[in-house]
Coordinates of all heavy atoms in Angstrom, one line a residue:
M1 N -47.6 -4.6 -16.8 CA -46.5 -3.9 -16.2 C -45.2 -4.2 -16.8 O -44.4 -3.3 -17.1 CB -46.5 -4.3 -14.7 CG -45.3 -3.8 -14.0 SD -45.8 -2.7 -12.7 CE -44.2 -2.3 -12.0
N2 N -45.0 -5.4 -17.1 CA -43.7 -5.8 -17.7 C -43.8 -5.8 -19.2 O -44.1 -6.9 -19.8 CB -43.2 -7.2 -17.2 CG -42.9 -7.2 -15.7 OD1 -42.5 -6.1 -15.2 ND2 -43.1 -8.3 -15.1
D3 N -43.6 -4.7 -19.9 CA -43.8 -4.6 -21.3 C -42.6 -5.2 -22.0 O -42.8 -5.9 -23.1 CB -43.9 -3.1 -21.7 CG -45.1 -2.5 -21.1 OD1 -46.1 -3.2 -20.9 OD2 -45.1 -1.3 -21.0
I4 N -41.4 -5.1 -21.5 CA -40.2 -5.6 -22.2 C -39.9 -7.0 -21.5 O -39.8 -7.1 -20.3 CB -39.0 -4.6 -22.0 CG1 -39.4 -3.3 -22.5 CG2 -37.8 -5.2 -22.7 CD1 -38.4 -2.2 -22.3
P5 N -39.7 -8.0 -22.3 CA -39.4 -9.3 -21.8 C -38.0 -9.4 -21.1 O -37.1 -8.6 -21.5 CB -39.4 -10.3 -23.0 CG -40.0 -9.5 -24.1 CD -39.9 -8.0 -23.8
L6 N -37.9 -10.3 -20.2 CA -36.6 -10.4 -19.4 C -35.5 -10.8 -20.4 O -34.3 -10.4 -20.1 CB -36.8 -11.5 -18.3 CG -35.6 -11.8 -17.5 CD1 -35.2 -10.6 -16.6 CD2 -35.9 -13.0 -16.6
S7 N -35.8 -11.6 -21.4 CA -34.7 -12.0 -22.3 C -34.0 -10.9 -23.0 O -32.8 -10.9 -23.3 CB -35.2 -13.0 -23.3 OG -36.2 -12.4 -24.1
Y8 N -34.7 -9.8 -23.3 CA -34.1 -8.6 -23.9 C -33.1 -8.0 -23.0 O -32.0 -7.6 -23.4 CB -35.1 -7.6 -24.3 CG -36.0 -8.0 -25.4 CD1 -37.1 -7.2 -25.8 CD2 -35.8 -9.2 -26.2 CE1 -37.9 -7.6 -26.8 CE2 -36.6 -9.5 -27.2 CZ -37.7 -8.7 -27.5 OH -38.5 -9.1 -28.6
F9 N -33.4 -7.9 -21.7 CA -32.5 -7.3 -20.7 C -31.2 -8.2 -20.6 O -30.1 -7.7 -20.5 CB -33.1 -7.2 -19.3 CG -34.1 -6.1 -19.2 CD1 -35.5 -6.4 -19.1 CD2 -33.7 -4.8 -19.2 CE1 -36.4 -5.3 -19.0 CE2 -34.6 -3.7 -19.1 CZ -35.9 -4.0 -19.0
L10 N -31.4 -9.5 -20.6 CA -30.3 -10.4 -20.5 C -29.4 -10.4 -21.7 O -28.2 -10.5 -21.6 CB -30.8 -11.9 -20.3 CG -31.6 -12.1 -19.0 CD1 -32.1 -13.5 -18.8 CD2 -30.8 -11.7 -17.8
I11 N -30.0 -10.2 -22.9 CA -29.2 -10.1 -24.1 C -28.4 -8.9 -24.1 O -27.2 -8.9 -24.4 CB -30.1 -10.2 -25.4 CG1 -30.7 -11.6 -25.5 CG2 -29.3 -9.8 -26.6 CD1 -31.8 -11.7 -26.6
V12 N -29.0 -7.7 -23.7 CA -28.2 -6.5 -23.7 C -27.1 -6.6 -22.6 O -26.0 -6.1 -22.8 CB -29.2 -5.3 -23.4 CG1 -28.4 -4.0 -23.1 CG2 -30.1 -5.1 -24.6
S13 N -27.4 -7.2 -21.5 CA -26.5 -7.3 -20.4 C -25.3 -8.2 -20.9 O -24.1 -7.9 -20.6 CB -27.1 -7.9 -19.2 OG -26.2 -8.1 -18.2
A14 N -25.6 -9.3 -21.6 CA -24.5 -10.2 -22.1 C -23.7 -9.4 -23.1 O -22.4 -9.6 -23.1 CB -25.1 -11.4 -22.7
L15 N -24.3 -8.6 -24.0 CA -23.5 -7.8 -24.9 C -22.6 -6.8 -24.2 O -21.4 -6.7 -24.5 CB -24.4 -7.1 -25.9 CG -25.1 -8.0 -27.0 CD1 -26.1 -7.2 -27.7 CD2 -24.0 -8.6 -27.9
L16 N -23.1 -6.1 -23.2 CA -22.3 -5.2 -22.4 C -21.2 -5.9 -21.7 O -20.0 -5.4 -21.7 CB -23.2 -4.5 -21.4 CG -24.0 -3.3 -21.8 CD1 -24.8 -2.8 -20.7 CD2 -23.1 -2.2 -22.3
F17 N -21.4 -7.0 -21.1 CA -20.4 -7.8 -20.4 C -19.3 -8.2 -21.4 O -18.1 -8.1 -21.1 CB -21.0 -8.9 -19.7 CG -20.0 -9.6 -18.7 CD1 -19.8 -9.1 -17.5 CD2 -19.3 -10.7 -19.1 CE1 -19.0 -9.7 -16.6 CE2 -18.4 -11.3 -18.3 CZ -18.2 -10.8 -17.0
S18 N -19.7 -8.7 -22.6 CA -18.7 -9.2 -23.5 C -17.9 -8.1 -24.1 O -16.7 -8.2 -24.4 CB -19.4 -10.0 -24.6 OG -20.3 -9.2 -25.4
I19 N -18.5 -6.9 -24.4 CA -17.8 -5.8 -24.8 C -16.8 -5.3 -23.8 O -15.6 -5.0 -24.1 CB -18.7 -4.6 -25.2 CG1 -19.5 -5.0 -26.5 CG2 -18.0 -3.3 -25.4 CD1 -20.7 -4.0 -26.8
G20 N -17.2 -5.2 -22.5 CA -16.3 -4.9 -21.4 C -15.2 -5.8 -21.3 O -14.0 -5.4 -21.0
L21 N -15.5 -7.1 -21.4 CA -14.4 -8.1 -21.2 C -13.4 -8.0 -22.4 O -12.2 -8.1 -22.2 CB -15.0 -9.5 -21.2 CG -14.1 -10.7 -21.0 CD1 -13.4 -10.5 -19.6 CD2 -14.8 -12.0 -21.1
S22 N -13.9 -7.8 -23.6 CA -13.0 -7.7 -24.7 C -12.1 -6.4 -24.6 O -11.0 -6.5 -25.0 CB -13.8 -7.7 -26.1 OG -14.6 -6.6 -26.2
I23 N -12.7 -5.4 -24.2 CA -11.9 -4.1 -24.0 C -10.8 -4.4 -22.9 O -9.7 -4.0 -23.1 CB -12.8 -3.0 -23.6 CG1 -13.6 -2.5 -24.8 CG2 -12.0 -1.8 -23.0 CD1 -14.6 -1.4 -24.4
M24 N -11.2 -5.1 -21.8 CA -10.3 -5.3 -20.8 C -9.1 -6.2 -21.2 O -8.0 -6.0 -20.8 CB -11.0 -5.9 -19.6 CG -10.2 -5.9 -18.3 SD -11.1 -6.6 -16.9 CE -10.8 -8.4 -17.2
L25 N -9.4 -7.2 -22.1 CA -8.4 -8.1 -22.5 C -7.5 -7.6 -23.7 O -6.4 -7.9 -23.8 CB -9.0 -9.4 -22.9 CG -9.7 -10.2 -21.8 CD1 -10.4 -11.5 -22.4 CD2 -8.7 -10.6 -20.8
L26 N -8.1 -6.7 -24.5 CA -7.4 -6.3 -25.7 C -6.6 -5.0 -25.6 O -5.6 -4.8 -26.3 CB -8.4 -6.2 -26.9 CG -9.0 -7.6 -27.3 CD1 -10.0 -7.3 -28.4 CD2 -8.0 -8.6 -27.7
K27 N -7.1 -4.1 -24.8 CA -6.5 -2.8 -24.7 C -5.3 -2.8 -23.8 O -5.2 -3.6 -22.8 CB -7.5 -1.7 -24.2 CG -8.6 -1.5 -25.2 CD -8.1 -0.9 -26.5 CE -9.2 -0.6 -27.4 NZ -8.8 0.0 -28.6
R28 N -4.3 -2.0 -24.0 CA -3.1 -2.0 -23.2 C -3.0 -0.8 -22.3 O -2.2 -0.7 -21.4 CB -1.9 -2.0 -24.1 CG -1.7 -3.2 -25.0 CD -0.6 -3.1 -25.9 NE 0.7 -3.0 -25.2 CZ 1.6 -3.9 -25.2 NH1 1.4 -5.1 -25.7 NH2 2.7 -3.7 -24.5
N29 N -3.9 0.2 -22.5 CA -3.9 1.4 -21.7 C -4.8 1.2 -20.5 O -5.9 0.6 -20.5 CB -4.5 2.5 -22.5 CG -4.3 3.9 -21.9 OD1 -4.2 4.0 -20.7 ND2 -4.2 4.9 -22.7
M30 N -4.3 1.6 -19.3 CA -5.0 1.3 -18.0 C -6.4 2.0 -18.0 O -7.3 1.5 -17.4 CB -4.2 1.8 -16.9 CG -3.1 0.9 -16.5 SD -2.4 1.5 -14.9 CE -0.7 1.0 -15.2
I31 N -6.5 3.2 -18.6 CA -7.8 3.9 -18.6 C -8.9 3.0 -19.3 O -10.0 2.9 -18.9 CB -7.7 5.3 -19.2 CG1 -6.6 6.1 -18.5 CG2 -9.0 6.0 -19.3 CD1 -7.0 6.4 -17.1
F32 N -8.5 2.4 -20.5 CA -9.4 1.6 -21.2 C -9.8 0.3 -20.4 O -10.9 -0.1 -20.5 CB -8.9 1.3 -22.6 CG -8.9 2.4 -23.6 CD1 -7.7 3.0 -24.0 CD2 -10.1 2.9 -24.0 CE1 -7.8 4.0 -24.9 CE2 -10.2 4.0 -24.8 CZ -9.0 4.6 -25.3
V33 N -8.8 -0.2 -19.7 CA -9.1 -1.4 -18.9 C -10.1 -1.1 -17.8 O -11.0 -1.8 -17.6 CB -7.7 -1.9 -18.3 CG1 -8.0 -3.0 -17.3 CG2 -6.9 -2.5 -19.4
L34 N -9.9 0.1 -17.2 CA -10.9 0.5 -16.2 C -12.3 0.7 -16.8 O -13.3 0.4 -16.2 CB -10.4 1.8 -15.5 CG -9.2 1.6 -14.6 CD1 -8.8 3.0 -14.0 CD2 -9.6 0.7 -13.4
M35 N -12.3 1.3 -18.0 CA -13.6 1.4 -18.7 C -14.3 0.1 -19.0 O -15.5 -0.1 -18.9 CB -13.4 2.2 -20.0 CG -13.1 3.7 -19.8 SD -12.6 4.6 -21.2 CE -13.9 4.3 -22.4
G36 N -13.5 -0.9 -19.4 CA -14.0 -2.3 -19.6 C -14.6 -2.9 -18.3 O -15.6 -3.5 -18.3
I37 N -13.9 -2.7 -17.2 CA -14.4 -3.2 -15.9 C -15.7 -2.5 -15.5 O -16.6 -3.1 -15.1 CB -13.3 -3.0 -14.8 CG1 -12.1 -3.9 -15.1 CG2 -13.9 -3.2 -13.4 CD1 -10.9 -3.6 -14.2
E38 N -15.8 -1.2 -15.8 CA -17.0 -0.5 -15.5 C -18.2 -1.0 -16.4 O -19.3 -1.1 -15.9 CB -16.7 1.0 -15.7 CG -17.8 1.9 -15.1 CD -17.8 1.8 -13.6 OE1 -16.7 1.6 -13.0 OE2 -18.9 1.9 -13.0
L39 N -17.9 -1.3 -17.6 CA -19.0 -1.8 -18.5 C -19.4 -3.2 -17.9 O -20.6 -3.5 -17.9 CB -18.5 -2.0 -19.9 CG -18.6 -0.8 -20.8 CD1 -18.0 -1.1 -22.2 CD2 -20.1 -0.5 -21.0
M40 N -18.5 -4.0 -17.4 CA -18.9 -5.3 -16.9 C -19.7 -5.1 -15.6 O -20.7 -5.8 -15.4 CB -17.6 -6.1 -16.6 CG -16.9 -6.6 -17.9 SD -15.3 -7.2 -17.8 CE -15.3 -8.3 -16.4
L41 N -19.4 -4.1 -14.8 CA -20.2 -3.9 -13.6 C -21.6 -3.4 -14.0 O -22.5 -3.7 -13.3 CB -19.5 -2.8 -12.7 CG -18.3 -3.3 -11.9 CD1 -17.6 -2.1 -11.2 CD2 -18.7 -4.3 -10.9
N42 N -21.7 -2.5 -15.0 CA -23.0 -2.1 -15.4 C -23.8 -3.2 -16.0 O -25.0 -3.2 -15.9 CB -22.8 -1.0 -16.4 CG -22.4 0.3 -15.8 OD1 -22.7 0.6 -14.6 ND2 -21.7 1.2 -16.5
A43 N -23.2 -4.2 -16.6 CA -23.9 -5.4 -17.1 C -24.5 -6.1 -15.9 O -25.6 -6.6 -16.0 CB -23.0 -6.2 -18.0
A44 N -23.7 -6.3 -14.9 CA -24.2 -7.0 -13.7 C -25.3 -6.2 -13.1 O -26.3 -6.8 -12.6 CB -23.1 -7.2 -12.7
N45 N -25.2 -4.9 -13.0 CA -26.3 -4.0 -12.5 C -27.6 -4.2 -13.3 O -28.7 -4.3 -12.8 CB -25.9 -2.6 -12.5 CG -25.1 -2.2 -11.3 OD1 -25.1 -2.9 -10.3 ND2 -24.4 -1.1 -11.5
L46 N -27.5 -4.3 -14.6 CA -28.6 -4.5 -15.5 C -29.3 -5.8 -15.2 O -30.5 -5.9 -15.1 CB -28.2 -4.4 -17.0 CG -29.4 -4.4 -18.0 CD1 -30.4 -3.3 -17.7 CD2 -28.8 -4.4 -19.4
N47 N -28.5 -6.8 -15.0 CA -29.1 -8.1 -14.6 C -29.8 -8.0 -13.2 O -30.9 -8.6 -13.1 CB -28.0 -9.2 -14.5 CG -27.7 -9.8 -15.8 OD1 -28.5 -9.8 -16.7 ND2 -26.5 -10.4 -15.9
L48 N -29.2 -7.4 -12.3 CA -29.9 -7.3 -11.0 C -31.2 -6.5 -11.1 O -32.2 -6.9 -10.5 CB -28.9 -6.6 -10.0 CG -27.7 -7.3 -9.5 CD1 -26.8 -6.4 -8.7 CD2 -28.2 -8.5 -8.6
I49 N -31.2 -5.4 -11.8 CA -32.4 -4.6 -12.0 C -33.5 -5.4 -12.7 O -34.7 -5.4 -12.4 CB -32.1 -3.3 -12.6 CG1 -31.3 -2.4 -11.6 CG2 -33.4 -2.5 -13.0 CD1 -30.8 -1.2 -12.2
A50 N -33.1 -6.1 -13.8 CA -34.0 -6.9 -14.6 C -34.7 -8.0 -13.8 O -35.9 -8.2 -13.8 CB -33.3 -7.5 -15.8
F51 N -33.9 -8.7 -13.0 CA -34.5 -9.8 -12.1 C -35.3 -9.2 -11.0 O -36.4 -9.8 -10.6 CB -33.4 -10.7 -11.6 CG -32.9 -11.6 -12.6 CD1 -31.6 -11.6 -13.0 CD2 -33.7 -12.6 -13.2 CE1 -31.1 -12.5 -14.0 CE2 -33.3 -13.5 -14.2 CZ -32.0 -13.4 -14.6
S52 N -35.0 -8.1 -10.5 CA -35.8 -7.5 -9.4 C -37.1 -6.9 -10.0 O -38.2 -6.9 -9.4 CB -35.1 -6.4 -8.7 OG -35.0 -5.2 -9.5
R53 N -37.1 -6.5 -11.2 CA -38.3 -6.0 -11.9 C -39.2 -7.2 -12.2 O -40.4 -7.1 -12.2 CB -37.9 -5.3 -13.2 CG -39.0 -4.7 -14.0 CD -38.4 -3.9 -15.2 NE -39.5 -3.4 -16.0 CZ -39.7 -3.9 -17.2 NH1 -39.0 -4.8 -17.8 NH2 -40.8 -3.4 -17.9
Q54 N -38.6 -8.4 -12.5 CA -39.4 -9.6 -12.8 C -40.1 -10.0 -11.6 O -41.3 -10.5 -11.6 CB -38.5 -10.7 -13.3 CG -39.1 -11.9 -13.8 CD -39.8 -11.7 -15.2 OE1 -39.5 -10.7 -15.8 NE2 -40.7 -12.6 -15.5
D55 N -39.5 -10.0 -10.4 CA -40.1 -10.5 -9.2 C -40.8 -9.4 -8.3 O -41.4 -9.7 -7.3 CB -39.0 -11.1 -8.3 CG -38.4 -12.3 -8.9 OD1 -39.1 -13.0 -9.7 OD2 -37.3 -12.7 -8.5
D56 N -40.8 -8.2 -8.8 CA -41.4 -7.0 -8.1 C -40.9 -6.9 -6.6 O -41.6 -6.7 -5.7 CB -42.9 -7.2 -8.1 CG -43.5 -7.0 -9.4 OD1 -42.9 -6.2 -10.2 OD2 -44.6 -7.6 -9.7
Q57 N -39.6 -7.1 -6.5 CA -38.9 -7.0 -5.2 C -37.9 -5.9 -5.3 O -37.4 -5.6 -6.4 CB -38.4 -8.3 -4.7 CG -39.4 -9.3 -4.4 CD -38.8 -10.6 -3.9 OE1 -37.6 -10.8 -3.9 NE2 -39.7 -11.5 -3.5
I58 N -37.5 -5.4 -4.2 CA -36.5 -4.3 -4.2 C -35.1 -4.7 -3.9 O -34.2 -3.9 -4.1 CB -37.0 -3.2 -3.2 CG1 -36.3 -1.9 -3.5 CG2 -36.7 -3.6 -1.8 CD1 -37.1 -0.7 -3.0
Q59 N -34.8 -6.0 -3.6 CA -33.5 -6.4 -3.3 C -32.5 -6.2 -4.5 O -31.3 -5.8 -4.3 CB -33.4 -7.9 -2.9 CG -34.0 -8.2 -1.5 CD -35.3 -8.8 -1.6 OE1 -35.9 -9.0 -2.7 NE2 -35.8 -9.2 -0.4
G60 N -32.9 -6.4 -5.7 CA -32.0 -6.2 -6.8 C -31.7 -4.8 -7.0 O -30.5 -4.4 -7.4
L61 N -32.6 -3.9 -6.7 CA -32.3 -2.4 -6.8 C -31.3 -2.0 -5.7 O -30.4 -1.2 -6.0 CB -33.5 -1.6 -6.7 CG -34.6 -1.8 -7.8 CD1 -35.8 -1.0 -7.5 CD2 -34.0 -1.4 -9.1
V62 N -31.4 -2.6 -4.5 CA -30.5 -2.2 -3.4 C -29.1 -2.8 -3.8 O -28.1 -2.1 -3.6 CB -31.1 -2.8 -2.1 CG1 -30.0 -2.7 -1.0 CG2 -32.4 -2.1 -1.7
F63 N -29.1 -4.0 -4.3 CA -27.8 -4.6 -4.6 C -27.1 -3.8 -5.7 O -25.9 -3.6 -5.8 CB -27.9 -6.0 -5.1 CG -28.1 -7.0 -3.9 CD1 -29.0 -8.1 -4.0 CD2 -27.4 -6.8 -2.7 CE1 -29.2 -8.9 -3.0 CE2 -27.6 -7.7 -1.7 CZ -28.5 -8.8 -1.8
S64 N -27.9 -3.3 -6.7 CA -27.3 -2.5 -7.8 C -26.8 -1.2 -7.3 O -25.7 -0.7 -7.8 CB -28.3 -2.3 -8.9 OG -29.4 -1.5 -8.5
V65 N -27.4 -0.6 -6.3 CA -26.9 0.6 -5.7 C -25.5 0.3 -5.0 O -24.6 1.1 -5.1 CB -27.9 1.3 -4.7 CG1 -27.3 2.4 -3.9 CG2 -29.1 1.8 -5.5
F66 N -25.5 -0.8 -4.3 CA -24.2 -1.2 -3.7 C -23.1 -1.4 -4.7 O -22.0 -1.0 -4.5 CB -24.4 -2.4 -2.8 CG -25.1 -2.2 -1.5 CD1 -26.0 -3.1 -1.0 CD2 -24.8 -1.1 -0.7 CE1 -26.7 -2.9 0.2 CE2 -25.4 -0.9 0.5 CZ -26.4 -1.8 0.9
V67 N -23.5 -2.0 -5.8 CA -22.5 -2.3 -6.9 C -22.0 -1.0 -7.5 O -20.8 -0.8 -7.7 CB -23.0 -3.2 -8.0 CG1 -22.1 -3.3 -9.2 CG2 -23.3 -4.6 -7.4
L68 N -22.9 0.0 -7.6 CA -22.5 1.3 -8.2 C -21.6 2.0 -7.2 O -20.6 2.6 -7.6 CB -23.7 2.2 -8.4 CG -24.5 1.8 -9.7 CD1 -25.8 2.7 -9.8 CD2 -23.7 2.1 -10.9
V69 N -21.9 2.0 -5.9 CA -21.0 2.6 -4.9 C -19.7 2.0 -4.9 O -18.6 2.7 -4.8 CB -21.7 2.6 -3.5 CG1 -20.8 3.0 -2.4 CG2 -22.9 3.5 -3.5
I70 N -19.6 0.7 -4.9 CA -18.3 0.0 -4.9 C -17.5 0.3 -6.2 O -16.3 0.5 -6.2 CB -18.5 -1.5 -4.7 CG1 -19.0 -1.8 -3.3 CG2 -17.2 -2.3 -5.0 CD1 -19.4 -3.2 -3.1
G71 N -18.2 0.4 -7.3 CA -17.6 0.8 -8.6 C -17.0 2.1 -8.6 O -15.9 2.4 -9.1
V72 N -17.7 3.1 -8.0 CA -17.2 4.5 -7.9 C -16.0 4.5 -7.0 O -15.0 5.2 -7.3 CB -18.3 5.4 -7.4 CG1 -17.8 6.8 -7.0 CG2 -19.4 5.6 -8.5
C73 N -16.0 3.8 -5.9 CA -14.9 3.8 -5.0 C -13.7 3.2 -5.6 O -12.5 3.6 -5.5 CB -15.2 3.1 -3.7 SG -16.5 3.9 -2.7
E74 N -13.9 2.1 -6.4 CA -12.9 1.4 -7.1 C -12.2 2.3 -8.1 O -11.0 2.3 -8.2 CB -13.4 0.1 -7.7 CG -12.5 -0.5 -8.7 CD -13.1 -1.4 -9.7 OE1 -14.4 -1.5 -9.7 OE2 -12.4 -1.8 -10.7
M75 N -13.1 3.0 -8.9 CA -12.5 3.9 -9.9 C -11.7 5.0 -9.3 O -10.7 5.4 -9.9 CB -13.7 4.4 -10.8 CG -14.3 3.4 -11.7 SD -13.1 2.7 -12.8 CE -13.6 1.1 -13.0
S76 N -12.2 5.6 -8.2 CA -11.4 6.7 -7.7 C -10.1 6.3 -7.1 O -9.1 6.9 -7.4 CB -12.2 7.4 -6.5 OG -12.4 6.5 -5.5
V77 N -10.0 5.1 -6.5 CA -8.7 4.6 -6.0 C -7.8 4.2 -7.2 O -6.6 4.5 -7.2 CB -8.9 3.4 -5.1 CG1 -7.6 2.7 -4.8 CG2 -9.6 3.8 -3.8
A78 N -8.4 3.6 -8.2 CA -7.6 3.2 -9.4 C -7.1 4.4 -10.2 O -5.9 4.4 -10.6 CB -8.5 2.3 -10.3
L79 N -7.9 5.4 -10.3 CA -7.4 6.6 -11.0 C -6.3 7.3 -10.2 O -5.3 7.8 -10.8 CB -8.5 7.6 -11.3 CG -9.5 7.2 -12.4 CD1 -10.6 8.1 -12.5 CD2 -8.7 7.1 -13.7
A80 N -6.4 7.3 -8.9 CA -5.3 7.9 -8.1 C -4.0 7.1 -8.2 O -2.9 7.6 -8.4 CB -5.7 7.9 -6.6
I81 N -4.1 5.7 -8.3 CA -3.0 4.9 -8.5 C -2.4 5.1 -9.9 O -1.2 5.2 -10.1 CB -3.3 3.4 -8.3 CG1 -3.6 3.2 -6.8 CG2 -2.2 2.5 -8.8 CD1 -4.2 1.8 -6.5
I82 N -3.2 5.2 -10.9 CA -2.8 5.5 -12.3 C -2.0 6.8 -12.4 O -1.0 6.9 -13.0 CB -3.9 5.4 -13.3 CG1 -4.4 4.0 -13.4 CG2 -3.6 6.0 -14.6 CD1 -5.7 3.8 -14.2
L83 N -2.6 7.8 -11.7 CA -1.9 9.1 -11.7 C -0.5 9.1 -11.1 O 0.5 9.7 -11.6 CB -2.7 10.2 -11.0 CG -3.9 10.7 -11.7 CD1 -4.8 11.6 -10.8 CD2 -3.5 11.4 -13.0
Q84 N -0.4 8.3 -10.0 CA 0.9 8.1 -9.4 C 1.9 7.3 -10.3 O 3.1 7.7 -10.3 CB 0.8 7.5 -8.0 CG 0.1 8.3 -7.0 CD 0.9 9.6 -6.7 OE1 2.1 9.6 -6.6 NE2 0.1 10.7 -6.6
I85 N 1.4 6.3 -10.9 CA 2.2 5.6 -11.9 C 2.7 6.5 -13.0 O 3.8 6.4 -13.5 CB 1.5 4.3 -12.4 CG1 1.3 3.3 -11.2 CG2 2.1 3.7 -13.6 CD1 0.5 2.1 -11.6
Y86 N 1.8 7.3 -13.5 CA 2.1 8.2 -14.6 C 3.2 9.2 -14.2 O 4.1 9.5 -14.9 CB 0.9 8.9 -15.2 CG 1.2 9.8 -16.3 CD1 1.5 9.2 -17.6 CD2 1.3 11.2 -16.2 CE1 1.8 10.1 -18.7 CE2 1.7 12.0 -17.2 CZ 1.9 11.4 -18.5 OH 2.3 12.2 -19.5
R87 N 3.1 9.7 -13.0 CA 4.1 10.7 -12.5 C 5.4 10.0 -12.4 O 6.5 10.7 -12.6 CB 3.6 11.2 -11.1 CG 2.5 12.2 -11.2 CD 2.2 12.8 -9.8 NE 1.1 13.6 -9.9 CZ 0.4 14.0 -8.9 NH1 0.7 13.6 -7.7 NH2 -0.7 14.8 -9.0
H88 N 5.4 8.7 -12.0 CA 6.7 8.1 -11.8 C 7.3 7.6 -13.1 O 8.5 7.8 -13.4 CB 6.6 6.9 -10.9 CG 7.8 6.3 -10.5 ND1 8.4 5.2 -11.2 CD2 8.7 6.6 -9.5 CE1 9.5 4.9 -10.6 NE2 9.7 5.7 -9.6
F89 N 6.5 7.0 -14.0 CA 7.0 6.3 -15.2 C 6.8 7.1 -16.5 O 7.3 6.8 -17.5 CB 6.5 4.9 -15.4 CG 6.9 4.0 -14.3 CD1 6.0 3.5 -13.4 CD2 8.2 3.5 -14.3 CE1 6.4 2.6 -12.4 CE2 8.6 2.6 -13.3 CZ 7.6 2.2 -12.3
K90 N 5.9 8.1 -16.4 CA 5.5 8.9 -17.6 C 4.8 8.0 -18.7 O 4.9 8.3 -19.9 CB 6.7 9.7 -18.2 CG 7.4 10.6 -17.3 CD 6.5 11.8 -17.0 CE 7.2 12.8 -16.1 NZ 6.5 13.2 -14.9
N91 N 4.2 6.9 -18.3 CA 3.5 6.0 -19.2 C 2.5 5.2 -18.4 O 2.8 4.8 -17.3 CB 4.6 5.1 -19.8 CG 4.0 4.3 -21.0 OD1 2.9 4.5 -21.3 ND2 4.9 3.5 -21.6
I92 N 1.3 5.0 -19.0 CA 0.3 4.1 -18.3 C -0.1 2.9 -19.2 O -1.1 2.3 -18.9 CB -0.9 5.0 -18.0 CG1 -1.5 5.6 -19.2 CG2 -0.6 6.0 -16.9 CD1 -2.9 6.3 -18.9
D93 N 0.7 2.6 -20.2 CA 0.4 1.4 -20.9 C 0.8 0.2 -20.1 O 1.8 0.1 -19.4 CB 1.2 1.4 -22.3 CG 0.6 2.4 -23.2 OD1 -0.6 2.7 -23.1 OD2 1.3 2.8 -24.1
L94 N 0.0 -0.9 -20.2 CA 0.2 -2.1 -19.4 C 1.4 -2.9 -19.8 O 2.1 -3.5 -19.0 CB -1.0 -2.9 -19.4 CG -2.2 -2.3 -18.7 CD1 -3.4 -3.2 -18.8 CD2 -1.9 -2.2 -17.2
G95 N 1.7 -3.0 -21.1 CA 2.8 -3.9 -21.5 C 4.1 -3.1 -21.9 O 5.0 -3.7 -22.4
A96 N 4.2 -1.9 -21.6 CA 5.3 -1.1 -22.0 C 6.5 -1.5 -21.1 O 6.4 -1.8 -20.0 CB 5.1 0.4 -21.8
E97 N 7.7 -1.5 -21.8 CA 8.9 -1.9 -21.0 C 9.3 -0.8 -20.0 O 9.9 -1.2 -19.0 CB 10.1 -2.1 -22.0 CG 9.9 -3.3 -22.9 CD 11.1 -3.6 -23.7 OE1 12.2 -3.2 -23.2 OE2 11.0 -4.1 -24.8
K98 N 9.0 0.4 -20.2 CA 9.3 1.5 -19.3 C 8.5 1.4 -18.0 O 9.0 1.9 -17.0 CB 9.1 2.8 -20.0 CG 9.7 3.9 -19.3 CD 9.5 5.2 -20.1 CE 10.2 6.4 -19.4 NZ 10.0 7.6 -20.1
S99 N 7.4 0.7 -18.0 CA 6.5 0.7 -16.8 C 6.7 -0.6 -16.0 O 5.9 -0.9 -15.2 CB 5.1 0.8 -17.2 OG 4.7 -0.3 -17.9
R100 N 7.9 -1.3 -16.1 CA 8.1 -2.4 -15.3 C 8.4 -2.0 -13.9 O 9.1 -1.0 -13.6 CB 9.3 -3.2 -15.9 CG 8.9 -4.4 -16.7 CD 10.1 -5.1 -17.1 NE 10.9 -4.3 -18.0 CZ 12.1 -4.6 -18.4 NH1 12.7 -5.7 -18.0 NH2 12.8 -3.7 -19.1
F101 N 7.9 -2.8 -12.9 CA 8.2 -2.5 -11.5 C 9.4 -3.2 -11.0 O 9.8 -4.2 -11.1 CB 6.9 -2.9 -10.7 CG 5.8 -2.0 -11.0 CD1 4.7 -2.4 -11.7 CD2 5.7 -0.7 -10.4 CE1 3.7 -1.6 -12.0 CE2 4.7 0.1 -10.7 CZ 3.6 -0.3 -11.5

């Protein structure tokens, strides 16, 4: 049943998490920062699904659905905030002088 070893899932998940973290730390645009956060959430979901597949239990799948729902809610609120910031400052870069509060 388990054709792919657990270590492969963990390696891919670690790569996704590190790519998301590097995007979040290096990019100055808010949209890219949100994309990095989403990659990190997907890496956590991959871990949850891999461990639930290993134990043949459904708790990991249920937790991953909750993480996806929370991520979607977070992204919708964050995009609404970004749109309001853009309307006010005409810029969404994080370090720009024009976007100081």
Side-chain angles (χ1 to χ4, degrees):
M1 169 116 180
N2 294 333
D3 296 335
I4 303 172
L6 180 65
S7 61
Y8 290 173
F9 286 109
L10 297 179
I11 290 170
V12 170
S13 176
L15 286 173
L16 276 176
F17 191 85
S18 62
I19 291 170
L21 184 64
S22 65
I23 287 173
M24 194 179 81
L25 293 176
L26 296 176
K27 295 295 183 179
R28 296 175 63 107
N29 194 330
M30 282 191 213
I31 302 294
F32 286 113
V33 170
L34 289 176
M35 287 171 54
I37 292 171
E38 197 63 35
L39 273 175
M40 291 167 42
L41 285 174
N42 285 333
N45 279 339
L46 184 60
N47 275 337
L48 289 170
I49 291 171
F51 283 118
S52 73
R53 186 173 174 249
Q54 188 74 15
D55 293 337
D56 291 329
Q57 294 180 353
I58 198 156
Q59 284 108 357
L61 297 174
V62 172
F63 284 142
S64 68
V65 169
F66 284 138
V67 170
L68 283 174
V69 168
I70 289 171
V72 167
C73 294
E74 170 206 352
M75 288 299 146
S76 64
V77 169
L79 284 175
I81 291 171
I82 288 172
L83 284 174
Q84 292 300 319
I85 289 173
Y86 182 76
R87 284 182 186 164
H88 187 268
F89 294 109
K90 301 293 185 228
N91 193 0
I92 57 172
D93 287 337
L94 291 175
E97 289 190 28
K98 194 175 182 184
S99 67
R100 262 185 294 171
F101 289 103

